[in-house]
Amino acid sequence: MNISDATKNEYRSSSVHKNLTIKFPELGLTIDNTKIYQESMKLKESILEKNNIEFVGCIASSFSVQIQGLKEDVKGKKIEASITTDGSNDEPIPLFHGIVDSAVLQDNRLSKTITAYDILYTKGNTEVSSWYNSLTFPISIKKFRDSLFTYLGITQDETSLVNDDISISKQYDPKTLKALNVIKAICQINGVFGIINRNGLFEYRTTQSGLYPSGNLYPSDDLYPFSGEETELTEEEVAEAMQYYKKIRYEEFKVKPVDKITIRQNENDAGVTYGSGTNNYIIQGNMFTYGLSNETLLQMAQNIYPYVEGYSYYPFQASNMGLPFVECGVDILSYKVRNLDTGETEKKYYNVFSRELSGIQALSDSYTAKGEEYQSEFITDLQTSIDLIKQQDQQYQQTFNDFDSRISKLEAGGGGGGGGGGINIVSVASLPANPDSNTVYLIQGIVVVE
């Protein structure tokens, strides 16, 4: 976030007064601290909540706060939240843009608890099959995503994605198709995390800039958080560290970096693979990979690889002083922890995948990055895969019915199952090397949808 160091330092002081501002632009209504109940503000945002690294994101952020004397009906209305300090009123930090999902009157009848989600929460459930079927194919992924977000009324943060120029053809005629499934597929096939950012734009976040982006490290080198219950710190170290954190727990292992990518349709499909390592990142059942040649799929894998390879991190969970300028998937936390074997302190870095910011004057942050040592496969867009398989199954059935009708006509004209009119009908597992010209071969096959 483009915030000055001076403003950042304001939030590192517990004595600085903070000002939370909430706006309902459609109502021309602005709420300040005087009407906000104590420390009731809570912001949740995330790009990854699974144990395995998955370059998709698309997790809706949420915001809640209790407001006193709110008489207006704000349910379904746009809400914007930002925060400043008395020393940085000219540089507000945006916290949230979204839609109010509920406004619950509290028992005291004097206040309402507002719960809101970003626009992806509501727009993600939009049925887009009619939009998809109206597109003119072939179409590039760039034009495809631009059309989708225009249809949804969501503004994208302008950027170029690695597979934007890939052209896709129409592969199926979906009866149902949720917008969120399509957005996830776009992010997955480009190796990015999708998120609605603090300004209400859909942003594609990448890890290409590396693990340690300059200017994003917090806190300073002299912070010594606990690395577990066994860690021994001096009283002075504890007192110093407690200015910034409450606790940190982290795994001793680092998640192994991705060193190979496979793109395939299903578990029985060999697909294409790029890279020669052992920790394979599998993209399976993505709607943008159907019907493409292996050459094109390999190109897509090569394009994605620089954005996902080598990404490694420590799974951790920490509670800290609240820093509203920290963003998921962007900022890195740095701590010095004591090595229990040598007794020496060492700096370690932690990627923020999920965070929960709460309070106002006593801002506190909870950061999390889950992970397992080795990557395992996953399927992002299962429903689209199932729809496609079902359609293929229907196509096979229709083809078989047409063929069966033709055979019946032949039989009625004198042909028979194995003789009579000179036409033989034989069921085989595969076509023989030297097929008989007077024989109709029925190739055995089955499609199973679970």
Side-chain angles (χ1 to χ4, degrees):
M1 188 175 293
N2 187 22
I3 300 295
S4 69
D5 289 340
T7 295
K8 291 179 180 179
N9 287 331
E10 292 284 335
Y11 292 94
R12 293 181 176 128
S13 172
S14 58
S15 62
V16 173
H17 188 268
K18 306 169 187 72
N19 308 290
L20 179 64
T21 301
I22 299 172
K23 295 182 179 180
F24 300 94
E26 294 165 310
L27 302 175
L29 178 64
T30 299
I31 304 293
D32 60 21
N33 277 8
T34 61
K35 292 187 177 182
I36 298 173
Y37 186 78
Q38 297 181 359
E39 301 293 287
S40 63
M41 190 270 289
K42 183 177 293 185
L43 169 68
K44 293 182 180 180
E45 53 188 1
S46 179
I47 61 166
L48 178 66
E49 295 179 342
K50 296 183 178 181
N51 285 330
N52 290 297
I53 187 71
E54 180 180 0
F55 297 89
V56 175
C58 301
I59 302 168
S61 300
S62 66
F63 177 85
S64 63
V65 69
Q66 190 172 341
I67 301 176
Q68 298 176 351
L70 181 63
K71 298 180 181 180
E72 291 83 356
D73 182 6
V74 297
K75 180 177 172 60
K77 302 298 183 182
K78 294 180 180 179
I79 181 173
E80 301 171 2
S82 62
I83 193 168
T84 62
T85 67
D86 282 350
S88 63
N89 283 323
D90 60 335
E91 194 172 23
I93 295 177
L95 293 178
F96 180 81
H97 271 56
I99 306 293
V100 175
D101 185 64
S102 65
V104 180
L105 191 66
Q106 300 304 293
D107 290 340
N108 59 20
R109 313 292 295 178
L110 299 176
S111 62
K112 291 180 181 179
T113 295
I114 306 299
T115 301
Y117 298 92
D118 67 41
I119 196 170
L120 198 61
Y121 180 80
T122 51
K123 296 291 187 178
N125 288 319
T126 303
E127 170 57 50
V128 295
S129 57
S130 60
W131 162 82
Y132 175 87
N133 290 324
S134 71
L135 292 175
T136 300
F137 291 89
I139 187 173
S140 70
I141 291 180
K142 174 64 164 66
K143 290 182 178 179
F144 183 100
R145 66 179 175 91
D146 285 350
S147 176
L148 172 64
F149 280 95
T150 298
Y151 180 80
L152 294 174
I154 301 176
T155 302
Q156 299 175 90
D157 189 30
E158 274 301 319
T159 189
S160 296
L161 302 181
V162 293
N163 283 317
D164 265 348
D165 293 335
I166 298 295
S167 181
I168 59 172
S169 299
K170 187 173 184 179
Q171 295 297 317
Y172 60 111
D173 185 14
K175 301 300 183 290
T176 60
L177 187 62
K178 293 297 184 182
L180 185 59
N181 285 341
V182 182
I183 296 172
K184 284 183 175 182
I186 292 170
C187 293
Q188 186 194 44
I189 207 59
N190 285 285
V192 296
F193 299 102
I195 190 172
I196 299 293
N197 66 22
R198 305 283 188 81
N199 295 311
L201 305 180
F202 188 86
E203 181 179 334
Y204 302 93
R205 293 184 180 170
T206 73
T207 61
Q208 191 185 33
S209 58
L211 289 179
Y212 314 121
S214 61
N216 293 335
L217 299 180
Y218 168 79
S220 59
D221 290 347
D222 57 2
L223 180 60
Y224 296 81
F226 293 111
S227 62
E229 293 181 0
E230 299 179 39
T231 303
E232 295 293 336
L233 299 177
T234 67
E235 291 184 6
E236 290 79 8
E237 289 172 337
V238 171
E240 184 178 30
M242 285 298 287
Q243 298 178 62
Y244 302 102
Y245 85 102
K246 295 179 181 178
K247 66 178 180 179
I248 178 172
R249 298 290 183 266
Y250 68 93
E251 298 287 355
E252 292 294 337
F253 66 83
K254 292 186 75 174
V255 173
K256 297 298 182 184
V258 171
D259 48 22
K260 181 167 64 173
I261 293 181
T262 295
I263 299 179
R264 68 190 190 191
Q265 308 308 330
N266 53 60
E267 294 179 358
N268 298 320
D269 174 29
V272 300
T273 297
Y274 180 76
S276 57
T278 58
N279 201 33
N280 196 11
Y281 180 70
I282 300 174
I283 296 176
Q284 179 172 309
N286 188 290
M287 66 180 294
F288 295 106
T289 63
Y290 288 110
L292 297 181
S293 66
N294 283 352
E295 180 182 5
T296 301
L297 292 177
L298 183 59
Q299 177 189 344
M300 297 178 89
Q302 291 173 328
N303 290 343
I304 297 169
Y305 190 75
Y307 287 79
V308 303
E309 64 95 15
Y311 194 71
S312 183
Y313 63 94
Y314 286 104
F316 86 110
Q317 183 175 5
S319 298
N320 299 264
M321 172 181 287
L323 301 175
F325 51 83
V326 171
E327 295 184 279
C328 295
V330 176
D331 294 293
I332 311 295
L333 306 182
S334 67
Y335 298 93
K336 275 190 175 180
V337 297
R338 186 178 297 280
N339 187 307
L340 298 181
D341 294 327
T342 66
E344 300 294 326
T345 58
E346 59 184 1
K347 183 186 291 187
K348 289 192 176 182
Y349 300 89
Y350 301 92
N351 300 66
V352 179
F353 289 160
S354 298
R355 71 95 60 87
E356 182 175 312
L357 178 69
S358 59
I360 301 175
Q361 302 309 324
L363 276 177
S364 63
D365 250 321
S366 175
Y367 305 122
T368 303
K370 296 181 179 180
E372 294 179 350
E373 191 167 7
Y374 293 94
Q375 175 72 33
S376 64
E377 67 185 67
F378 56 87
I379 302 175
T380 297
D381 193 17
L382 178 61
Q383 187 58 51
T384 298
S385 300
I386 290 176
D387 286 346
L388 182 58
I389 293 172
K390 285 181 178 179
Q391 185 209 345
Q392 290 174 338
D393 186 32
Q394 293 168 355
Q395 291 174 342
Y396 295 151
Q397 186 62 48
Q398 183 61 45
T399 300
F400 179 80
N401 290 341
D402 292 343
F403 187 71
D404 187 54
S405 175
R406 293 173 61 191
I407 294 300
S408 297
K409 291 179 180 179
L410 285 173
E411 291 178 338
I423 298 294
N424 296 316
I425 303 173
V426 179
S427 176
V428 296
S430 61
L431 194 66
N434 298 306
D436 183 77
S437 60
N438 292 321
T439 300
V440 174
Y441 296 96
L442 301 181
I443 310 299
Q444 300 168 1
I446 187 171
V447 174
V448 177
V449 179
E450 298 179 348

